[in-house]
Each structure stands twice: as C-alpha cells, then as structure tokens.
Amino acid sequence: MTVPHPDSGVFEAIESEVRSYCRGWPAVFDHAHGSRLYDENNRSYLDFFSGAGALNYGHNNPVLKRALLDYLERDGITHALDMMTAAKRTFLETFQEIVLAPRELPYKVMFPGPAGTNAVEAALKLARKVKNRENVVFFTNAFHGMSLGSLAVTGNAFKRAGAGIPLTHTTPMPFDDHPDGRTPDFVWFERLLTSAGSGLDTPAAVIVETVQGEGGINVARTEWLRELAGLCRRRDMLLIVDDIQMGCGRTGAFFSFEESGITPDIVTLSKSVSGYGLPMSLTLFRPELDVWEPGEHNGTFRGFNPAFVTATAALEEYWRDGRLEKQTLARGDQVRQALDDIAADRPGPAPAVRGRGLAWGMEFADPARATAVCARAFELGLLLETSGPRDEVVKLLPPLTIGDEELEEGLALFGRAVRETDGPDSRKKGGNAP
C-alpha cells in the first residue's frame, strides 16, 4: 500500500513556505506515545527523530505526564518570568542534587528563554562581557541556532545566508579530523593566536559541540576536546560547550563532555532538559562569570513552570542512578553493530558510520541517496531525518527509553530502506510499504 499524501489544504494555503519537516513526512499526525506517532488514520510511525532530540524520554512519557497533569489540576503557576516559584525551587534543588553536585560542577544556572538559541545567545553575550572582547571561535559544520548571534557561530552556508546581513565577530576553525586528519591538533589555531601578524583578534571564547548533530554526527575525540580545553586555558579564552542536542543523556552520560573529563566554563542546554518537549533552556557557567546586572538579559518566557515540573520528574525518574546511562551505551553498541552490518551489505564502498550513545549517522556519497532512504523509511513507517552540510547523512535519534523490540524493528526498517534504494530498479524490487 502506498502511503497517501494528506489533503494539505490549510497548511499550503496559510502556513509559510519555510515549513520543512512536513515536506518529508506528508502525514497529519494526531497522537503519540512512547516511541511512536500516529496519524489521523491511526497509522503508526516509529520515531527515530525524537523531536530533533527534544524527546529523549519519548512521547507523553507517563511519569512526566502524571506530574504535569497533577500540577495543572491544582492550578500551579504557568507563567512567571523570573519570579520565585515553588516549581522553580524544586527544579533547582533537584538539578543541583542529582546533576551538578555528583559531578562536582560548580555552575550557576541561568534561564535565558525558551529555546536553545536563547541559551547560546546568552552564552556568547556573557563571554564577551566577561572578557571585554568581541571575537568568538567556532568550528566547521557547527550548528548553534537560528538567531543572529547563534547563526554567526554556525557553519552551514544555507542557514547563514538566511540572516540577510553580515555575520561578524566570529572566526571558523576546523573541527576534529577536518579536513584531512593528518595535521596535529590546533597547530594552526595556536599559531594564529601567538602571531602578531595573523590578523586574528584575540577571542573571548570558543564554542563547540562534542558531537555535531545537525553537522552530520561528527564525533570529536576525547583527546581533541582535552587539547581544546587546555588551549583555552593557556590563551585566556572561555570554553563554551553547546550540549543542546547531545546533552541530557543522548550520548550516555548526562553531559556529553563528561567522557572527556573536561569542565567547560559555560554550557548550554535545551531540547530534552524539560523531558516532555516543553520549551526550556539553561545556560550554566562558573560562579565567577556571573557578572550580569539584574535584568541585563531577560525574556518573557524564561519561567515556564510546567517545564520545571516535567524536568524535575525526568531527573528523579532517570538520573537518580546510572541505569539509563548504562542502557543507552549498551543500545548504542547495538545500533553501531546493526549499522556496520547494513553498510557492509551494500554493493560498492560502504557508507561511513559514526556516532555515540544513541546519536548515529550513516553518510552517503550522494546526498540524494540519503534523502531517498529517509523517504522510503517514511513509507515503511519510520521517521528519520538527514543532516550534514549537503544533507548527505541519515541521522538516527531514537528515544533513550525505546524498548528492545522497537529498536530492533526500527533498525530492520532502516536496513530495508537502504537496500530498497540501492539501484534504479530498487523500488520495483522492494515493492511498497506493507
């Protein structure tokens, strides 16, 4: 049975052409639970997208939903800007007890606004204020958000072009093993920093993702991250780790940088920090960097209390012990093995496979092939997206709470989508979705 396209009707008539995900997934979704979404015809789709990483604990997680419903039913505060509320206090106490204290992280917590790009904007502004310098270094293929400051430290040319103005006061550097993997780490960067004739203004900070999600699941080596942290210390630059997509357990540990043993000066969190897909972001920083004047950086929706409630429930349920981390790492090994097998089973050169925890990508030489794999996966009932500078990488982000059978089912559907898009006659051989 071929998947019918829904009557796009009001979406095409009223909604902006900027919409994107709906073009690759032509269904009108109606409800969701756990690792599955359902359309208006009650057809099930296994979700290996997880709200771009905002749904690490799945859709309508029952523990988080119960906490939210209880809070709403007793008329708990919803909107509070940065006023003190019981829900915020409970979240801060729980976050300190479960996340920060066991890891000996001394961070102050800032609520900069509802989205990840708000957290990045606050981090950049704070770094510049602390160091009294303008320049910030970022890395090739980075993605940090769509507002102007975040775009200025984003590598993707298409997204940068949308700004419509010059994106200044930033400098790109090669991400780990880019472009050739033979040049020693940071030789060129350090030479620019020490040369009086380099033309590089001394940076206030360096911003980095330990795993570049939108950039194509590019994984930084622990050695590279440690050397970067050392370089920042030696040259008086703040180190900002953007953990918006890869934090909250996506790579195993709560923070993606834990494995490397570094302690960033500033960390940005969003996406799954609320646990329920509710808007919430955090900018964390060392206490000595807390030089803000009251109200110097603010926003109307930086105190969305329902998100505090679900965030607290997520921490209590999944981070009091190490079970989720161990499970994520074990399932990551399972995904790696499956993807390696799928890549090796293809004719011709095997696609590159890379990732950590439950963030994985398979890179195809032809970007059209990655798009075709995602389209076929959708027909088969599996949601996947592409990433990378040319959309050449198929990205897999299943919920961290996915069951063993559903994980195996999704990997099998992905393997089928790869096989059935291998050649010009593949659709005839593979048939349509069951």
Side-chain angles (χ1 to χ4, degrees):
M1 178 180 76
T2 303
V3 178
H5 285 227
D7 179 4
S8 53
V10 69
F11 302 107
E12 288 194 6
I14 303 288
E15 192 176 2
S16 167
E17 291 298 316
V18 78
R19 63 192 189 279
S20 60
Y21 290 114
C22 59
R23 299 180 189 275
W25 302 330
V28 178
F29 295 103
D30 179 68
H31 58 284
H33 180 76
S35 303
R36 295 185 185 274
L37 292 90
Y38 299 84
D39 66 17
E40 288 185 315
N41 299 314
N42 209 37
R43 188 187 177 198
S44 170
Y45 296 83
L46 196 54
D47 187 3
F48 271 36
F49 172 65
S50 297
L55 294 166
N56 281 1
Y57 312 110
H59 295 268
N60 288 303
N61 182 290
V63 175
L64 279 58
K65 180 167 67 174
R66 185 69 266 159
L68 178 60
L69 290 175
D70 288 346
Y71 184 75
L72 295 176
E73 286 171 354
R74 70 171 184 82
D75 290 335
I77 297 291
T78 296
H79 179 267
L81 292 109
D82 68 357
M83 293 185 289
M84 293 181 288
T85 67
K88 181 196 281 189
R89 178 178 59 202
T90 302
F91 168 74
L92 286 170
E93 291 172 345
T94 305
F95 190 70
Q96 169 69 15
E97 178 188 354
I98 294 178
V99 175
L100 298 181
R103 293 163 179 80
E104 298 182 347
L105 295 174
Y107 298 138
K108 298 288 290 291
V109 178
M110 177 181 178
F111 300 100
T117 196
N118 299 109
V120 172
E121 294 285 357
L124 298 176
K125 185 188 290 188
L126 179 62
R128 287 167 169 145
K129 180 178 174 66
V130 168
K131 293 299 182 183
N132 196 27
R133 303 177 207 143
E134 296 176 346
N135 193 33
V136 173
V137 168
F138 67 100
F139 293 97
T140 48
N141 294 323
F143 178 81
H144 295 289
M146 297 297 284
S147 51
L148 291 180
S150 300
L151 271 181
V153 289
T154 288
N156 186 283
F158 172 72
K159 292 181 172 62
R160 289 176 65 89
I165 62 170
L167 298 171
T168 59
H169 307 305
T170 60
T171 303
M173 290 288 170
F175 190 72
D176 190 15
D177 283 340
H178 181 91
D180 59 17
R182 293 189 295 272
T183 304
D185 297 336
F186 304 112
V187 169
W188 179 240
F189 190 0
E190 189 138 29
R191 185 176 299 171
L192 290 175
L193 289 170
T194 56
S195 172
S198 72
L200 176 66
D201 295 330
T202 302
V206 177
I207 185 168
V208 67
E209 303 155 275
T210 66
V211 180
Q212 293 181 329
E214 300 304 312
I217 309 295
N218 306 310
V219 182
R221 294 168 296 129
T222 57
E223 297 85 354
W224 187 85
L225 290 169
R226 289 170 187 156
E227 181 57 30
L228 175 61
L231 177 63
C232 287
R233 285 194 302 272
R234 292 195 304 275
R235 300 300 171 190
D236 189 33
M237 303 178 293
L238 297 179
L239 176 60
I240 305 169
V241 168
D242 181 338
D243 233 3
I244 287 166
Q245 188 169 87
M246 295 300 159
C248 301
R250 176 54 59 181
T251 65
F254 187 87
F255 295 106
S256 69
F257 57 81
E258 290 183 51
E259 180 181 313
S260 67
I262 66 173
T263 301
D265 299 294
I266 305 174
V267 180
T268 61
L269 284 177
S270 187
K271 291 195 182 285
S272 277
V273 70
S274 82
Y276 204 75
L278 299 177
M280 179 177 176
S281 69
L282 306 176
T283 304
L284 313 175
F285 41 83
R286 296 180 183 273
E288 62 269 24
L289 305 181
D290 194 8
V291 296
W292 294 114
E293 296 291 336
E296 189 175 7
H297 186 94
N298 57 27
T300 303
F301 294 103
R302 66 194 187 279
F304 187 52
N305 283 253
F308 297 153
V309 171
T310 55
T312 300
L315 294 176
E316 291 284 3
E317 179 70 14
Y318 295 107
W319 295 101
R320 278 276 177 198
D321 54 40
R323 285 180 298 168
L324 182 65
E325 179 177 348
K326 292 175 183 176
Q327 175 179 287
T328 298
L329 294 174
R331 288 179 174 165
D333 291 339
Q334 180 181 348
V335 173
R336 175 190 285 277
Q337 184 60 59
L339 297 189
D340 284 344
D341 291 345
I342 292 168
D345 193 43
R346 288 188 64 250
V353 172
R354 53 184 179 263
R356 277 179 58 198
L358 281 176
W360 288 89
M362 181 178 285
E363 180 179 354
F364 294 89
D366 182 1
R369 180 70 196 295
T371 300
V373 168
C374 289
R376 182 59 180 147
F378 173 79
E379 293 177 342
L380 296 170
L382 176 67
L383 300 185
L384 297 168
E385 72 164 335
T386 58
S387 66
R390 301 182 299 130
D391 287 324
E392 74 277 20
V393 177
V394 176
K395 182 165 70 172
L396 294 84
L397 293 179
L400 307 184
T401 53
I402 192 170
D404 290 331
E405 292 184 3
E406 287 180 322
L407 182 59
E408 291 174 4
E409 176 187 350
L411 292 170
L413 290 174
F414 175 63
R416 180 177 169 186
V418 171
R419 291 192 303 273
E420 293 181 1
T421 54
D422 259 325
D425 299 325
S426 59
R427 292 299 301 275
K428 295 178 183 177
K429 295 175 184 177
N432 291 314

